[in-house]
Amino acid sequence: LSGNGGGAVGAGPENKLTGVNRTVAAVHGTITPAYVGEVVTDIAADQNYVGTGTSANTEWAKTD
């Protein structure tokens, strides 16, 4: 009823795909995406990245 079920009751919260989920000092080589499509801001590079996978800390793509 809250809208957080991902379309199915008891499925858990939906992943955030439209805005920044985390802010970190450096993305590549330091953190692994929590889910495909996660948006993270790298404050050292002043750049946003989107997660392309969840198995390595290099699975990030720059966003425009």
Side-chain angles (χ1 to χ4, degrees), residues 16-57:
K16 185 177 178 183
L17 301 174
T18 58
V20 176
N21 187 51
R22 292 189 273 178
T23 302
V24 296
V27 171
H28 278 281
T30 59
I31 64 168
T32 301
Y35 52 89
V36 174
E38 177 183 23
V39 180
V40 174
T41 298
D42 182 327
I43 58 174
D46 192 28
Q47 177 70 48
N48 284 342
Y49 291 86
V50 64
T52 59
T54 59
S55 62
N57 59 10

